[in-house]
Each structure stands twice: as structure tokens, then as C-alpha cells.
Amino acid sequence: MSETIRIVEVGPRDGLQNEAAMVPTATKIALIDKLIEAGHGTIELTSFVSPKWVPQMADAADVARHFADRTNLRLPVLAPNLQGLERALDCGVREVALFTAASDAFNKRNTNATIDESLQRFEPMMDLARSRDIKVRGYVSTVLGCPYQGDVPLSEVVRVARALHRLGCYEISLGDTIGVGTPRKARAMLRSVANEVPLSSLAVHFHDTRGQALANVFACVEAGVRVVDASVAGLGGCPYAQGASGNVATEDVVYALHGMGFETGIDLGKLVAAGRYICSEIQRSNGSKLALAWPE
Ligand code: HMG
Ligand code: MG
């Protein structure tokens, strides 16, 4: 039997959060429906951040409520603080993702907090999540470089990942927020973290700003990671990371993984259709090479 890799589809959140023009809530919901139809079992729906900081996510409650009864799926949402977690819980959310970084300079611009302040913020959130039986994922951003600070010490990546794991995050996603990593560096970073946090609790999250994302995914899969974040049609970027482009395109990752003999549970034709749908709705070019080659 072939081995499975779990794809965490982040298109509706990481993909759309950077769109300047407001994407209608109905379009976001239709995209998520198409991703579910394509076989995705884990989709990051939206984020309960401050709408003053990220206006595109102001409809988080409407999106989350719409999918609250889909208990057969894992549908995490981002929450930056207790207020965000409480808003998410009011909507029937059963899984959240917290986010911090390995660079203070980035974390301050992204969440108005140092790394250590954000870890303190997470403590009451973890208590509340535990009391409600909510699963919590954790993100570490800027694991291979920071747009403000430059190099990021590996020791800091390891420290923050370990702290999130100790706080009780069941999975830590290691984010190359600005896509500066290259395959051997990505693999070395993963291995360093895996010395302190079990590899089975790690995921990788590559942005494709310099065309390295798929190679980085490959290097980390070869090193044993079995959870990969990706964004349909390569949508996205980060509003607080200048020049950051979208995540690695889910279609390209799934094609590569199937070719390597892994299972993902995803139907490529339906996934391509979901990517084409959102690109046409928001008038954006498709960031997946596979989608360009796929028959109309
Ligand atoms: P702050 O301004 O310090 O917050 O922002 P505050 O606590 O001082 O509150 C200020 C106002 O915001 C108040 O409203 C609060 O009620 C409101 P006012 O009294 O002025 O009317 N507020 C909220 N409203 C709704 N929901 C909330 C919330 N919190 C406060 N949750 C804060 C701090 C963390 C809120 C802000 O910095 C923020 O929302 N940041 C989010 C930025 C973001 O979404 N970035 C992108 C996601 S991370 C990412 O993309 C990286 C990732 O993909 C991995 C990778 O690629 O590396 C995950
Ligand atoms: Mg990201």
C-alpha cells in the first residue's frame, strides 16, 4: 500500500488574504466547496484576525459558520489572540492555527508583538482550546529568512517550534514566508527542528517567491515530512512580507507526489477546476504550471 501525504490547503486563507479587492463571501464559499469536492480533507478556511489589519478576512464568521457542520473534515482557521479564538469558537470552529515567527522584526509587523510576547498570548488560548477540546496547530514564519532582519538563526527556529509543541500544538508548520529557502537549507532546517520536535508533528509551508517551493517540498518529503501546506493555483502572499508571492501551488505538489507514488486523496482534474474557478473570479493568472498544461 502506498504512503499518504496530507495536504493542508491554505488557498482560501493564505491565498486570498492578500487580495486588494474584496472577494465576495459567496465566492470564497464556492471555492471551498470545490476544494472539498476535489477530495481535500484539510482546508484552512479563513482567519479571525483584526479586520483593521486584514480587511479581506472581515467575513471570517460567515465563512466559518457556513462549514461548521462539516464535522468529517478538518477545517482550521487562523487566530492571533484570545479575541480571535473566542470569535472562532462562536462560529462552531473545531480547529485553530496560532502563528508566530522565528524573527522578532517580522512578528512585530505581523502581530504587533515580539516572539516571546506572542508565546505568552498563546497560553490562555491553549487553556481555552483545551477546555473546549479544540485542536491547535502552530505556525513558525520566516524559518529560512526574514524580509526585515535578513538571516534567521536556526537555533531560533528550533526554539520557537519547540515552544509551540510544548504549549500543546499537535502540529507545527514551518513557514518560508518570503520564499528565500533552497532545498538543502530547507532540509537542514527541517532536520534541526526534528531533533527537538517529532517529525510526525511537523509540516512544511513554502512560498514560491523565487521558484524554489516545489524543490523545497521535495527535499523535505525525502527527509520524511508527511504534511505539506499548499495553495490552489499558487494563490497568495503575506500582507506583512514585502514581495512575498503565493504558496507552492497545490496542483503542482499533488502531481509531483502522485508521480512519486504517494497518495493524497485528491482528484487532480477537480483540483485544477477549483483553481481555474477562483482565478477567473478574481482575475488573477494561474500560478500552477500543471493547471496551464491540463486540458480545458
Ligand atoms: P493590535 O492592533 O495590537 O491589537 O493588533 P489590539 O489588541 O491592540 O486591538 C486593536 C483593535 O483590534 C481593537 O479594536 C480590537 O478589538 C481589535 P478597537 O477597540 O480599536 O475597535 N482586534 C480584533 N478584532 C477582531 N478579531 C481579532 C482582534 N484582535 C484585536 N482577533 C493583532 C494585534 C494580532 C490583532 C493584529 O496584529 C492582527 O490581526 N494581525 C494579523 C496579521 C495577519 O493576518 N497576517 C497574515 C497571517 S500570518 C501569515 O500569513 C503567515 C503564515 O501563512 C505562515 C508563513 O507563510 O510563514 C501563517
Ligand atoms: Mg504563508
mmCIF file of all heavy atoms in Angstrom, residues 96-127:
data_model
loop_
_atom_site.group_PDB
_atom_site.id
_atom_site.type_symbol
_atom_site.label_atom_id
_atom_site.label_comp_id
_atom_site.label_asym_id
_atom_site.label_seq_id
_atom_site.Cartn_x
_atom_site.Cartn_y
_atom_site.Cartn_z
ATOM 1 N N VAL A 96 -8.020 25.379 15.343
ATOM 2 C CA VAL A 96 -7.450 26.699 15.049
ATOM 3 C C VAL A 96 -5.945 26.568 14.811
ATOM 4 O O VAL A 96 -5.324 25.580 15.191
ATOM 5 C CB VAL A 96 -7.684 27.719 16.190
ATOM 6 C CG1 VAL A 96 -9.159 28.022 16.370
ATOM 7 C CG2 VAL A 96 -7.059 27.277 17.482
ATOM 8 N N ALA A 97 -5.402 27.614 14.183
ATOM 9 C CA ALA A 97 -3.952 27.684 13.997
ATOM 10 C C ALA A 97 -3.456 29.007 14.582
ATOM 11 O O ALA A 97 -4.014 30.068 14.288
ATOM 12 C CB ALA A 97 -3.611 27.600 12.512
ATOM 13 N N LEU A 98 -2.451 28.900 15.441
ATOM 14 C CA LEU A 98 -1.806 30.081 16.007
ATOM 15 C C LEU A 98 -0.590 30.385 15.153
ATOM 16 O O LEU A 98 -0.029 29.481 14.531
ATOM 17 C CB LEU A 98 -1.329 29.803 17.438
ATOM 18 C CG LEU A 98 -2.292 29.092 18.378
ATOM 19 C CD1 LEU A 98 -1.631 28.896 19.736
ATOM 20 C CD2 LEU A 98 -3.556 29.908 18.519
ATOM 21 N N PHE A 99 -0.132 31.634 15.160
ATOM 22 C CA PHE A 99 1.051 31.916 14.342
ATOM 23 C C PHE A 99 1.979 32.904 15.025
ATOM 24 O O PHE A 99 1.573 33.888 15.598
ATOM 25 C CB PHE A 99 0.665 32.404 12.942
ATOM 26 C CG PHE A 99 -0.273 33.584 12.905
ATOM 27 C CD1 PHE A 99 0.202 34.854 12.606
ATOM 28 C CD2 PHE A 99 -1.627 33.421 13.143
ATOM 29 C CE1 PHE A 99 -0.661 35.942 12.551
ATOM 30 C CE2 PHE A 99 -2.503 34.499 13.100
ATOM 31 C CZ PHE A 99 -2.019 35.756 12.796
ATOM 32 N N THR A 100 3.255 32.546 14.943
ATOM 33 C CA THR A 100 4.314 33.427 15.396
ATOM 34 C C THR A 100 5.464 33.258 14.402
ATOM 35 O O THR A 100 5.253 32.720 13.316
ATOM 36 C CB THR A 100 4.713 33.119 16.855
ATOM 37 O OG1 THR A 100 5.708 34.063 17.277
ATOM 38 C CG2 THR A 100 5.254 31.703 17.031
ATOM 39 N N ALA A 101 6.643 33.745 14.747
ATOM 40 C CA ALA A 101 7.735 33.711 13.772
ATOM 41 C C ALA A 101 9.053 33.397 14.475
ATOM 42 O O ALA A 101 9.126 33.360 15.705
ATOM 43 C CB ALA A 101 7.822 35.058 13.054
ATOM 44 N N ALA A 102 10.076 33.185 13.670
ATOM 45 C CA ALA A 102 11.419 32.990 14.221
ATOM 46 C C ALA A 102 12.200 34.305 14.199
ATOM 47 O O ALA A 102 13.378 34.334 14.534
ATOM 48 C CB ALA A 102 12.151 31.903 13.439
ATOM 49 N N SER A 103 11.533 35.371 13.776
ATOM 50 C CA SER A 103 12.177 36.689 13.735
ATOM 51 C C SER A 103 11.269 37.708 14.419
ATOM 52 O O SER A 103 10.085 37.830 14.082
ATOM 53 C CB SER A 103 12.417 37.084 12.261
ATOM 54 O OG SER A 103 12.038 38.417 12.029
ATOM 55 N N ASP A 104 11.830 38.404 15.400
ATOM 56 C CA ASP A 104 11.048 39.429 16.108
ATOM 57 C C ASP A 104 10.590 40.529 15.161
ATOM 58 O O ASP A 104 9.473 41.028 15.268
ATOM 59 C CB ASP A 104 11.909 40.073 17.210
ATOM 60 C CG ASP A 104 11.747 39.368 18.554
ATOM 61 O OD1 ASP A 104 10.660 38.805 18.811
ATOM 62 O OD2 ASP A 104 12.716 39.377 19.339
ATOM 63 N N ALA A 105 11.480 40.910 14.244
ATOM 64 C CA ALA A 105 11.166 42.036 13.361
ATOM 65 C C ALA A 105 9.916 41.727 12.536
ATOM 66 O O ALA A 105 9.023 42.575 12.389
ATOM 67 C CB ALA A 105 12.357 42.322 12.439
ATOM 68 N N PHE A 106 9.830 40.514 12.008
ATOM 69 C CA PHE A 106 8.643 40.139 11.236
ATOM 70 C C PHE A 106 7.430 40.014 12.142
ATOM 71 O O PHE A 106 6.342 40.500 11.822
ATOM 72 C CB PHE A 106 8.875 38.811 10.491
ATOM 73 C CG PHE A 106 7.649 38.339 9.748
ATOM 74 C CD1 PHE A 106 7.304 38.881 8.518
ATOM 75 C CD2 PHE A 106 6.807 37.376 10.297
ATOM 76 C CE1 PHE A 106 6.149 38.484 7.844
ATOM 77 C CE2 PHE A 106 5.649 36.966 9.632
ATOM 78 C CZ PHE A 106 5.329 37.520 8.411
ATOM 79 N N ASN A 107 7.625 39.367 13.286
ATOM 80 C CA ASN A 107 6.463 39.118 14.145
ATOM 81 C C ASN A 107 5.832 40.413 14.641
ATOM 82 O O ASN A 107 4.620 40.523 14.755
ATOM 83 C CB ASN A 107 6.861 38.223 15.322
ATOM 84 C CG ASN A 107 5.666 37.443 15.832
ATOM 85 O OD1 ASN A 107 4.960 36.810 15.045
ATOM 86 N ND2 ASN A 107 5.388 37.527 17.111
ATOM 87 N N LYS A 108 6.671 41.416 14.889
ATOM 88 C CA LYS A 108 6.133 42.711 15.336
ATOM 89 C C LYS A 108 5.284 43.330 14.240
ATOM 90 O O LYS A 108 4.208 43.856 14.493
ATOM 91 C CB LYS A 108 7.275 43.659 15.693
ATOM 92 C CG LYS A 108 7.792 43.437 17.110
ATOM 93 C CD LYS A 108 8.748 44.556 17.471
ATOM 94 C CE LYS A 108 9.518 44.222 18.727
ATOM 95 N NZ LYS A 108 10.793 44.924 18.815
ATOM 96 N N ARG A 109 5.771 43.264 13.006
ATOM 97 C CA ARG A 109 4.987 43.861 11.918
ATOM 98 C C ARG A 109 3.721 43.061 11.630
ATOM 99 O O ARG A 109 2.710 43.597 11.219
ATOM 100 C CB ARG A 109 5.841 43.984 10.658
ATOM 101 C CG ARG A 109 6.776 45.176 10.732
ATOM 102 C CD ARG A 109 7.617 45.225 9.473
ATOM 103 N NE ARG A 109 8.458 46.399 9.405
ATOM 104 C CZ ARG A 109 9.617 46.542 10.031
ATOM 105 N NH1 ARG A 109 10.045 45.593 10.843
ATOM 106 N NH2 ARG A 109 10.344 47.637 9.879
ATOM 107 N N ASN A 110 3.788 41.762 11.860
ATOM 108 C CA ASN A 110 2.646 40.900 11.524
ATOM 109 C C ASN A 110 1.603 40.860 12.632
ATOM 110 O O ASN A 110 0.412 40.738 12.354
ATOM 111 C CB ASN A 110 3.163 39.480 11.244
ATOM 112 C CG ASN A 110 2.170 38.625 10.481
ATOM 113 O OD1 ASN A 110 1.438 39.128 9.621
ATOM 114 N ND2 ASN A 110 2.126 37.344 10.792
ATOM 115 N N THR A 111 2.064 40.956 13.897
ATOM 116 C CA THR A 111 1.097 40.772 15.002
ATOM 117 C C THR A 111 1.282 41.785 16.132
ATOM 118 O O THR A 111 0.668 41.633 17.189
ATOM 119 C CB THR A 111 1.206 39.355 15.621
ATOM 120 O OG1 THR A 111 2.488 39.228 16.238
ATOM 121 C CG2 THR A 111 1.043 38.264 14.581
ATOM 122 N N ASN A 112 2.152 42.771 15.914
ATOM 123 C CA ASN A 112 2.375 43.796 16.933
ATOM 124 C C ASN A 112 2.860 43.191 18.254
ATOM 125 O O ASN A 112 2.479 43.637 19.335
ATOM 126 C CB ASN A 112 1.074 44.598 17.145
ATOM 127 C CG ASN A 112 1.353 45.953 17.763
ATOM 128 O OD1 ASN A 112 2.484 46.437 17.756
ATOM 129 N ND2 ASN A 112 0.314 46.574 18.313
ATOM 130 N N ALA A 113 3.679 42.165 18.157
ATOM 131 C CA ALA A 113 4.201 41.503 19.356
ATOM 132 C C ALA A 113 5.556 40.875 19.030
ATOM 133 O O ALA A 113 5.789 40.445 17.891
ATOM 134 C CB ALA A 113 3.249 40.402 19.806
ATOM 135 N N THR A 114 6.422 40.829 20.051
ATOM 136 C CA THR A 114 7.659 40.070 19.862
ATOM 137 C C THR A 114 7.308 38.577 19.878
ATOM 138 O O THR A 114 6.182 38.200 20.224
ATOM 139 C CB THR A 114 8.659 40.343 21.012
ATOM 140 O OG1 THR A 114 8.043 39.884 22.228
ATOM 141 C CG2 THR A 114 9.006 41.826 21.126
ATOM 142 N N ILE A 115 8.287 37.752 19.568
ATOM 143 C CA ILE A 115 8.040 36.303 19.603
ATOM 144 C C ILE A 115 7.596 35.897 21.010
ATOM 145 O O ILE A 115 6.592 35.193 21.187
ATOM 146 C CB ILE A 115 9.318 35.522 19.232
ATOM 147 C CG1 ILE A 115 9.762 35.851 17.813
ATOM 148 C CG2 ILE A 115 9.112 34.030 19.410
ATOM 149 C CD1 ILE A 115 11.180 35.410 17.477
ATOM 150 N N ASP A 116 8.341 36.358 22.013
ATOM 151 C CA ASP A 116 8.018 35.923 23.376
ATOM 152 C C ASP A 116 6.675 36.464 23.841
ATOM 153 O O ASP A 116 5.925 35.764 24.535
ATOM 154 C CB ASP A 116 9.158 36.294 24.333
ATOM 155 C CG ASP A 116 10.387 35.421 24.065
ATOM 156 O OD1 ASP A 116 10.215 34.341 23.465
ATOM 157 O OD2 ASP A 116 11.509 35.822 24.422
ATOM 158 N N GLU A 117 6.351 37.685 23.423
ATOM 159 C CA GLU A 117 5.010 38.202 23.760
ATOM 160 C C GLU A 117 3.929 37.342 23.109
ATOM 161 O O GLU A 117 2.890 37.074 23.714
ATOM 162 C CB GLU A 117 4.872 39.660 23.298
ATOM 163 C CG GLU A 117 5.582 40.648 24.208
ATOM 164 C CD GLU A 117 5.791 42.038 23.574
ATOM 165 O OE1 GLU A 117 5.502 42.212 22.357
ATOM 166 O OE2 GLU A 117 6.271 42.930 24.284
ATOM 167 N N SER A 118 4.187 36.907 21.867
ATOM 168 C CA SER A 118 3.147 36.096 21.214
ATOM 169 C C SER A 118 3.033 34.738 21.908
ATOM 170 O O SER A 118 1.926 34.227 22.091
ATOM 171 C CB SER A 118 3.404 35.954 19.711
ATOM 172 O OG SER A 118 4.542 35.177 19.465
ATOM 173 N N LEU A 119 4.144 34.175 22.354
ATOM 174 C CA LEU A 119 4.054 32.887 23.058
ATOM 175 C C LEU A 119 3.248 33.046 24.353
ATOM 176 O O LEU A 119 2.471 32.162 24.728
ATOM 177 C CB LEU A 119 5.461 32.335 23.348
ATOM 178 C CG LEU A 119 6.261 31.919 22.103
ATOM 179 C CD1 LEU A 119 7.700 31.556 22.469
ATOM 180 C CD2 LEU A 119 5.592 30.753 21.358
ATOM 181 N N GLN A 120 3.425 34.209 25.012
ATOM 182 C CA GLN A 120 2.618 34.462 26.220
ATOM 183 C C GLN A 120 1.135 34.600 25.874
ATOM 184 O O GLN A 120 0.271 34.124 26.600
ATOM 185 C CB GLN A 120 3.098 35.732 26.920
ATOM 186 C CG GLN A 120 4.351 35.501 27.757
ATOM 187 C CD GLN A 120 5.059 36.794 28.099
ATOM 188 O OE1 GLN A 120 4.457 37.872 28.080
ATOM 189 N NE2 GLN A 120 6.334 36.706 28.414
ATOM 190 N N ARG A 121 0.874 35.265 24.739
ATOM 191 C CA ARG A 121 -0.509 35.407 24.272
ATOM 192 C C ARG A 121 -1.167 34.044 24.085
ATOM 193 O O ARG A 121 -2.370 33.897 24.238
ATOM 194 C CB ARG A 121 -0.484 36.063 22.879
ATOM 195 C CG ARG A 121 -1.118 37.397 22.779
ATOM 196 C CD ARG A 121 -0.969 37.929 21.359
ATOM 197 N NE ARG A 121 -0.689 39.355 21.386
ATOM 198 C CZ ARG A 121 -0.482 40.100 20.312
ATOM 199 N NH1 ARG A 121 -0.506 39.552 19.111
ATOM 200 N NH2 ARG A 121 -0.258 41.381 20.416
ATOM 201 N N PHE A 122 -0.360 33.067 23.668
ATOM 202 C CA PHE A 122 -0.927 31.756 23.325
ATOM 203 C C PHE A 122 -1.335 30.951 24.563
ATOM 204 O O PHE A 122 -2.173 30.070 24.466
ATOM 205 C CB PHE A 122 0.075 30.930 22.502
ATOM 206 C CG PHE A 122 0.418 31.530 21.158
ATOM 207 C CD1 PHE A 122 1.584 31.167 20.502
ATOM 208 C CD2 PHE A 122 -0.423 32.465 20.556
ATOM 209 C CE1 PHE A 122 1.909 31.723 19.263
ATOM 210 C CE2 PHE A 122 -0.106 33.030 19.321
ATOM 211 C CZ PHE A 122 1.071 32.657 18.677
ATOM 212 N N GLU A 123 -0.737 31.262 25.726
ATOM 213 C CA GLU A 123 -1.014 30.406 26.895
ATOM 214 C C GLU A 123 -2.498 30.362 27.253
ATOM 215 O O GLU A 123 -3.078 29.273 27.339
ATOM 216 C CB GLU A 123 -0.142 30.826 28.079
ATOM 217 C CG GLU A 123 1.272 30.300 27.895
ATOM 218 C CD GLU A 123 2.238 30.744 28.974
ATOM 219 O OE1 GLU A 123 1.770 31.112 30.068
ATOM 220 O OE2 GLU A 123 3.452 30.733 28.707
ATOM 221 N N PRO A 124 -3.148 31.534 27.439
ATOM 222 C CA PRO A 124 -4.596 31.456 27.733
ATOM 223 C C PRO A 124 -5.407 30.887 26.563
ATOM 224 O O PRO A 124 -6.454 30.274 26.768
ATOM 225 C CB PRO A 124 -4.989 32.919 28.005
ATOM 226 C CG PRO A 124 -3.891 33.757 27.457
ATOM 227 C CD PRO A 124 -2.650 32.916 27.471
ATOM 228 N N MET A 125 -4.893 31.062 25.353
ATOM 229 C CA MET A 125 -5.607 30.493 24.195
ATOM 230 C C MET A 125 -5.571 28.966 24.265
ATOM 231 O O MET A 125 -6.564 28.290 24.011
ATOM 232 C CB MET A 125 -4.969 30.979 22.887
ATOM 233 C CG MET A 125 -5.070 32.478 22.679
ATOM 234 S SD MET A 125 -4.143 33.036 21.229
ATOM 235 C CE MET A 125 -5.170 32.486 19.878
ATOM 236 N N MET A 126 -4.398 28.429 24.611
ATOM 237 C CA MET A 126 -4.274 26.970 24.703
ATOM 238 C C MET A 126 -5.178 26.434 25.812
ATOM 239 O O MET A 126 -5.792 25.380 25.658
ATOM 240 C CB MET A 126 -2.821 26.559 24.988
ATOM 241 C CG MET A 126 -1.828 26.856 23.896
ATOM 242 S SD MET A 126 -2.192 26.171 22.260
ATOM 243 C CE MET A 126 -2.212 24.420 22.560
ATOM 244 N N ASP A 127 -5.262 27.188 26.938
ATOM 245 C CA ASP A 127 -6.129 26.740 28.043
ATOM 246 C C ASP A 127 -7.582 26.664 27.572
ATOM 247 O O ASP A 127 -8.278 25.677 27.821
ATOM 248 C CB ASP A 127 -6.033 27.719 29.236
ATOM 249 C CG ASP A 127 -4.666 27.636 29.902
ATOM 250 O OD1 ASP A 127 -3.955 26.626 29.687
ATOM 251 O OD2 ASP A 127 -4.301 28.590 30.624
#
